[in-house]
Amino acid sequence: MTEPLLPDTSDTPANPPAPPQHWYGDVLAADGGVVQVRPIVPADADALAAFHTGLSDRTRYLRYFGPYPQISPKDMYRTTHVDYRDRVGLVAVLGTAVIGVARYELLARPGPRAAEVAFVIADEHQGRGLGSVLLEHLAGAAAENEVVAFVAEVLAENEAMITVFREAGYQLQRSRDGSEVHLEFAIDPTEALRTVRDSREAASEARSVGNLLAPGSVAVIGASPEQTRVGGAVLANLLAGGFSGPVFPVNLHRRSVRGVRAYATVREIPDEVDLAVVAVPPAAIGAVLDDCMAKGVKGLVVLTAGFGETGVAGLAAEHDLVAAARGHGMRVVGPSALGIANTDPAVGLNATLAPVLPERGRIGFFCQSGPLGAAILGEAAARNLGLSTFVSAGNRADVSGNDLLQYWDTAADTEVILLYLESFGNPRKFSRLARRVARGKPIVAVSSGRLAAGADMDRTVVRDLFGQAGIIQVDSISELFDCAALLACQPLPKGSRVAVVGNSAALNWLAIDAARSEGLRVHRPITAVDRGPGARPTERRAGRDSDRAEQGSDRVGRTKWGVRSARRSGRGADSVEPPERTTDGPEPIERGAVGVGVDGPVDLGPEATPADFREAVLAALRSDEVDAVIVVVAPPVPVPMEGFGDALRAAAAAAPEKPVLTTFVAASGIPRQLAVRTTAGAPARGSIPSYPDPERAARALARVDRYARWRDRPISPVVRPPGIDTTAAAALVEGWLADSGGRWLTDEEAVLLLDCYGIDVVEFRAVRDAEQAVAAADELGYPVAAKATGELWRRRPDLIGVRLDLWGPDAVRQAYTDLVEICGDPLLHVQKMATKGVGCVLRVTDDPSFGSVIQFGLSGMIIDLLGDRAYRALPLTQEEASALIDAPRAAPLLSEGPGRTGVDKAALAELAQRISALFDDIPQMRELSCDPVLAASASAEIIYARARIGPEPSRFDTGPRRLA
């Protein structure tokens, strides 16, 4: 055995402990390339020596303050033998080469633990942001080891390193001593640090996706002349799509494929290869990957199936594929992907298997399902909806919806984002990104049944959580494109008031019913006059008089259909006023009734002309009472539709701030008659979407309206209520977990933990005989309640295990005797009576798809059977906490009303915020149930609470940035 070069000490051990596994991670550099960050180990000595030798003299001088051509054996030993507590080293690795090193060593000084930090990056990799990444990860390791501050000694001329510290978001204390600068800063995460981290993460992830979607060259590995084969189909699509760069077919047995020079392997291609599309059998993937790594390919699109979807062995092979690709700087789309596309004419990338690709548009689409992706692209093309970019990620082993959200957030050519999701790689991050991105660009998502089933949740839960993040959740691909067409072509509505204009009484009323059922408010313009069969005789006569008056002159200032001009004031003989209301609410309107209320349709009649439509729609759009217009165009006999399309486009263009959507002879998407074309001929903003029936139009408008209301609300912060002791709570949980791998806390332990967060459970005492019960009641003060402690008895709706309002010792003794006889357990709780109120439930569960999810509702068996619960993902903002309390259908019972006083909903919202803070601070929290919570006019008191703790799951969204 070789003798150690240094004494075997605690911080320089001859046999270092195993490095923490969670310190290993793949990260993105600023240019979008992948680099691995991991702890230094003794086996790194040779790689570190090569790294040091490869540094330029200037870099070594700036790092070591002088010439230092070689690392001495003693220094190398100290560098590679660390204890991962007082001395920590991290390396950035690409392939097998070390390209960056960062270290900290604890300082021997009194006071809080502080460490000296330093790092150096290989010359050829400087400028990629790796110093910032290493500093983040080193600070994360230091925080785990109770180091609170970093100190750095830097040459004053080393401006690059000083900039890294300054731009990281730390509050620097800076002093200078001659040629050296002394820096010191706290490493505790602050909002500024998180903002910097999130900004850099967004930029690097967007860049990595941009590299995939705009490659300079593409190799198709497994290219085939047969278009019925995967490699043949994708090559044909690439060539037909007009890709702007070179395409290199790779086929071991052919010199050319489809007339293009082919190569036996990727290594033989003489030019650089940015993107490799892989279409070979799973057994050949290993060799292909080796070739791509040797060639320096930047990204892979793996169309090959047979990985994670096949079982445990396939999943292991999938993990190995991604690990190897990332280890050499590559990102992976797939496996089992349909491919990727970019319709930008400057790129012209169609690396998909889809036979049809939509035109250029401003919609970005991410899809997990490969087979479904082809159907989605076909549907988009059939509806005349253009896409900017498309990614079908298949098994989503690497590139995920989160990456695409980061890319589309800053992509100028994308205005609407569509997602088809089957799972989340990082639910907390998805929620954080969606909330940010949806503030500027609408996100429409359809989730498969697998998402809800895997989470043991129904679609109500998914819809609540999506709505919280500002995502428009839909139930089918058809509904996805219904919303997309409206969002891509028309402005957001400024309110929920909609006018219905049409020439079919039946379809008009279908639109009215659908709009009302979706929560929209139907408004007729106050000046509108019907000409259809449902119009009042006075309106028809007034219309005829108006027609005669307007023949040869428009001095009267009225349109053919009786819409009063804005130039006219006062009430003339031929003016029509809306019917008077006799109630405060909207009047019920019956179909077929002669009179039409102010919230009915504007019925133009079956003989309406394009000019009639133009005037009526324009009048509705100009009305201050209307925020959107649904137009029904359904001629009773076939007629040319170009004039109707021109009329609707002209009306919409005259009032471009309000959305117009239509049922245009049952067309779906953007009919050519309603399209406003770009110079390239693709439908552009201002085009009018059409729906096969009015119900679908109303449903799409209602969903977009709810999104617009969400976006209009100011951003609410996550507010931590006062009186929280995180340190005490963490110490309690750490102590309890030391004795077990995870468990339910006892009732007394739950009270202690909740008390750290200012959450009080109504005071109780555990007793084991009647006299203890009386003593407990005397101590608590009468009246009290006596309760059986088993879960079976707590949840019985007949309350047989509870005795309430016990006012004296005799009553307590009798209650104790009765309950022990019923439940057979001498352990009971004697609890102080709470203020009577409305029973509520607050629970948090640990969900694999969404992370920690809080639910709220009223308590009771009937409410449970109805499933009337509202759900939100944690952490809660101030506004979300209040909205959670108002969300259940039974929530009006919490407000003042006939025979009841309102409860303190602010206290319930604060309780939800405190619970949110608990789960955000203590990652070992797995579950919490506060049931019941009695809400009264001035309080919200928890009667009983249960809590479960367990090992911390992977939470990659809370520490240094890394790929999941």
Side-chain angles (χ1 to χ4, degrees):
M1 177 179 176
T2 305
E3 291 295 324
L5 298 177
L6 292 172
D8 184 8
T9 62
S10 58
D11 66 344
T12 310
N15 296 298
Q21 288 301 302
H22 63 280
W23 289 3
Y24 289 76
D26 296 317
V27 301
L28 288 175
D31 59 5
V34 186
V35 173
Q36 186 186 56
V37 172
R38 62 168 176 80
I40 283 177
V41 295
D44 288 326
D46 290 342
L48 285 169
F51 164 76
H52 183 85
T53 302
L55 296 176
S56 67
D57 292 340
R58 175 67 176 171
T59 296
R60 284 197 293 263
Y61 166 74
L62 293 175
R63 166 62 183 88
Y64 299 105
F65 297 19
Y68 191 56
Q70 289 186 331
I71 300 180
S72 68
K74 183 177 180 179
D75 286 349
M76 180 65 74
Y77 185 88
R78 184 170 178 82
T79 298
T80 56
H81 290 68
V82 295
D83 63 351
Y84 307 112
R85 176 171 170 77
D86 294 345
R87 296 181 57 252
V88 170
L90 300 177
V91 289
V93 179
L94 182 61
T96 58
V98 171
I99 60 173
V101 180
R103 300 170 55 200
Y104 81 68
E105 295 197 13
L106 192 68
L107 293 172
R109 71 181 195 183
R113 287 167 60 88
E116 184 173 4
V117 62
F119 59 86
V120 61
I121 306 298
D123 290 76
E124 62 271 25
H125 292 280
Q126 291 176 11
R128 301 183 65 199
L130 296 180
S132 300
V133 171
L134 284 171
L135 182 58
E136 273 184 38
H137 283 254
L138 202 62
E144 290 182 29
N145 292 323
E146 301 175 333
V147 174
V148 300
F150 274 165
V151 173
E153 305 294 338
V154 185
L155 285 175
E157 59 188 289
N158 193 353
E159 193 60 39
M161 182 172 285
I162 295 173
T163 299
V164 169
F165 289 120
R166 183 177 62 247
E167 294 184 351
Y170 295 109
Q171 298 296 315
L172 298 180
Q173 296 179 11
R174 180 172 175 169
S175 61
R176 181 164 179 167
D177 181 13
S179 63
E180 297 180 17
V181 175
H182 175 86
L183 303 174
E184 186 162 347
F185 50 92
I187 62 172
D188 182 48
T190 63
E191 192 59 36
L193 277 173
R194 282 187 286 268
T195 299
V196 170
R197 183 203 71 173
D198 292 347
S199 175
R200 288 175 171 169
E201 174 192 68
S204 60
E205 291 181 0
R207 184 69 178 271
S208 75
V209 173
N211 293 342
L212 294 168
L213 289 171
S217 58
V218 179
V220 180
I221 304 174
S224 168
E226 302 174 28
Q227 201 161 339
T228 56
R229 301 177 69 89
V230 172
V234 70
L235 177 62
N237 290 339
L238 266 170
L239 297 176
F243 177 60
S244 59
V247 177
F248 305 111
V250 176
N251 186 305
L252 187 62
H253 306 293
R254 291 180 176 271
R255 295 187 59 189
S256 68
V257 179
R258 301 186 72 87
V260 181
R261 168 78 167 91
Y263 300 87
T265 68
V266 174
R267 298 182 199 229
E268 295 181 13
I269 297 173
D271 298 332
E272 290 187 358
V273 176
D274 292 332
L275 179 69
V277 181
V278 182
V280 300
I285 286 286
V288 167
L289 185 60
D290 290 340
D291 289 340
C292 289
M293 291 188 297
K295 181 63 180 176
V297 173
K298 298 181 179 65
L300 298 177
V301 176
V302 182
L303 308 181
T304 306
F307 285 87
E309 72 275 15
T310 64
V312 176
L315 185 61
E318 183 174 294
H319 289 164
D320 291 343
L321 166 65
V322 173
R326 286 180 174 179
H328 286 75
M330 292 183 283
R331 299 220 64 182
V332 179
V333 177
S336 300
L338 181 76
I340 62 177
N342 185 346
T343 61
D344 184 349
V347 180
L349 177 70
N350 181 9
T352 76
L353 300 177
V356 177
L357 194 65
E359 292 185 81
R360 176 70 171 165
R362 306 188 72 78
I363 299 173
F365 202 119
F366 173 81
C367 175
Q368 284 184 229
S369 170
L372 186 61
I376 287 172
L377 291 176
E379 176 81 359
R383 293 198 186 206
N384 206 15
L385 290 175
L387 299 183
S388 58
T389 43
F390 169 82
V391 173
S392 165
N395 292 359
R396 194 191 45 76
D398 180 18
V399 173
S400 70
N402 289 346
D403 297 295
L404 270 298
L405 285 179
Q406 300 276 38
Y407 172 74
W408 283 320
D409 185 32
T410 56
D413 64 351
T414 301
E415 295 180 353
V416 180
I417 297 169
L418 306 184
L419 305 175
Y420 175 83
L421 300 171
E422 295 178 354
S423 63
F424 298 115
N426 187 332
R428 288 175 61 91
K429 183 175 179 179
F430 175 79
S431 178
R432 170 172 62 85
L433 295 182
R435 293 189 206 198
R436 188 193 78 222
V437 175
R439 287 287 171 182
K441 298 182 180 181
I443 303 171
V444 190
V446 57
S447 58
S448 73
R450 289 172 55 189
L451 180 61
D456 193 24
M457 294 180 174
D458 60 29
R459 289 191 176 274
T460 302
V461 184
V462 178
R463 184 173 290 112
D464 276 2
L465 299 180
F466 277 9
Q468 177 190 5
I471 299 170
I472 302 171
Q473 197 268 341
V474 297
D475 297 323
S476 67
I477 297 299
S478 293
E479 292 181 352
L480 187 81
F481 284 115
D482 285 349
C483 291
L486 180 56
L487 290 163
C489 298
Q490 292 289 309
L492 294 177
K494 293 182 172 61
S496 58
R497 301 168 302 175
V498 59
V500 176
V501 179
N503 64 346
S504 168
L507 293 179
N508 290 347
W509 281 106
L510 283 176
I512 294 285
D513 286 349
R516 288 173 176 161
S517 68
E518 291 289 342
L520 298 172
R521 293 179 292 162
V522 179
H523 278 254
R524 275 169 51 97
I526 196 169
T527 55
V529 175
D530 291 313
R531 288 300 299 260
R536 291 191 296 273
T538 55
E539 290 181 335
R540 295 177 186 153
R541 185 167 53 254
R544 289 195 297 270
D545 293 344
S546 174
D547 291 347
R548 286 193 295 270
E550 288 179 348
Q551 290 177 2
S553 172
D554 64 352
R555 291 174 300 163
V556 178
R558 292 174 52 85
T559 69
K560 179 176 181 180
W561 299 110
V563 180
R564 187 165 51 235
S565 168
R567 294 175 294 169
R568 177 121 181 196
S569 63
R571 185 178 301 176
D574 62 349
S575 68
V576 178
E577 294 299 318
E580 299 210 3
R581 292 179 175 237
T582 58
T583 63
D584 293 334
E587 292 181 353
I589 302 175
E590 297 181 9
R591 299 186 196 92
V594 174
V596 179
V598 295
D599 52 358
V602 179
D603 189 353
L604 301 182
E607 297 180 357
T609 66
D612 301 333
F613 271 98
R614 181 178 62 82
E615 294 296 339
V617 171
L618 183 57
L621 288 171
R622 286 176 173 171
S623 170
D624 292 337
E625 304 163 335
V626 173
D627 300 306
V629 179
I630 296 176
V631 186
V632 176
V633 184
V637 296
V639 296
M641 298 304 297
E642 281 73 11
F644 291 95
D646 293 342
L648 295 189
R649 285 191 285 105
E657 72 282 357
K658 295 181 181 180
V660 177
L661 56 168
T662 179
T663 294
F664 193 78
V665 290
S668 180
I670 310 296
R672 60 178 178 80
Q673 300 94 334
L674 299 178
V676 175
R677 301 285 178 178
T678 65
T679 54
R685 185 162 289 278
S687 301
I688 300 175
S690 176
Y691 300 85
D693 57 70
E695 293 97 330
R696 283 175 58 176
R699 191 177 304 120
L701 178 60
R703 284 175 167 153
V704 171
D705 175 64
R706 286 192 287 271
Y707 164 70
R709 303 287 75 73
W710 175 89
R711 199 163 93 163
D712 286 344
R713 291 197 296 266
I715 298 176
S716 176
V718 175
V719 176
R720 293 175 63 84
I724 291 177
D725 190 345
T726 304
T727 303
L732 287 173
V733 172
E734 185 178 348
W736 292 328
L737 284 176
D739 302 328
S740 67
R743 61 178 175 85
W744 285 98
L745 300 182
T746 66
D747 295 339
E748 292 77 10
E749 289 171 339
V751 169
L752 285 174
L753 179 60
L754 294 177
D755 182 64
C756 296
Y757 277 77
I759 302 171
D760 297 326
V761 178
V762 175
E763 199 171 1
F764 67 88
R765 299 289 185 271
V767 299
R768 289 187 171 274
D769 61 45
E771 294 311 313
Q772 285 185 8
V774 171
D778 290 339
E779 181 184 354
L780 294 171
Y782 293 97
V784 296
K787 302 178 181 182
T789 56
E791 284 302 305
L792 172 66
W793 306 103
R794 293 184 191 275
R795 299 192 59 80
R796 285 187 59 136
D798 57 9
L799 300 180
I800 194 174
V802 178
R803 297 293 184 269
L804 301 175
D805 290 312
L806 305 175
W807 282 92
D810 291 341
V812 172
R813 290 188 184 93
Q814 187 61 50
Y816 181 87
T817 301
D818 292 345
L819 289 176
V820 171
E821 183 177 347
I822 290 171
C823 68
D825 186 350
L827 178 62
L828 302 183
H829 283 175
V830 175
Q831 189 169 38
K832 189 173 183 177
M833 285 295 297
T835 305
K836 288 181 169 42
V838 180
C840 303
V841 178
L842 274 164
R843 292 196 184 100
V844 179
T845 53
D846 198 25
D847 175 71
S849 290
F850 294 100
S852 296
V853 174
I854 189 170
Q855 60 173 283
F856 172 77
L858 274 63
S859 61
M861 182 173 62
I862 294 177
I863 297 292
D864 288 341
L865 289 173
L866 293 175
D868 185 17
R869 296 281 185 267
Y871 301 84
R872 298 292 186 270
L874 298 182
L876 291 176
T877 67
Q878 195 166 15
E879 186 274 333
E880 288 167 351
S882 298
L884 174 68
I885 306 305
D886 288 327
R889 294 188 296 275
L893 295 175
L894 301 175
S895 301
E896 186 175 356
R900 66 178 186 271
T901 59
V903 308
D904 189 351
K905 293 195 288 186
L908 287 171
E910 182 179 329
L911 177 57
Q913 286 179 277
R914 291 184 180 276
I915 292 172
S916 172
L918 169 63
F919 275 77
D920 205 34
D921 292 343
I922 311 298
Q924 298 88 351
M925 289 296 302
R926 302 272 66 77
E927 197 169 345
L928 174 68
S929 174
C930 299
D931 181 12
V933 179
L934 286 186
S937 59
S939 63
E941 298 178 285
I942 300 174
I943 306 302
Y944 178 57
R946 294 191 75 209
R948 183 170 64 88
I949 59 175
E952 177 181 354
S954 296
R955 299 178 68 192
F956 290 139
D957 198 43
T958 57
R961 52 193 153 127
R962 70 183 72 194
L963 295 173

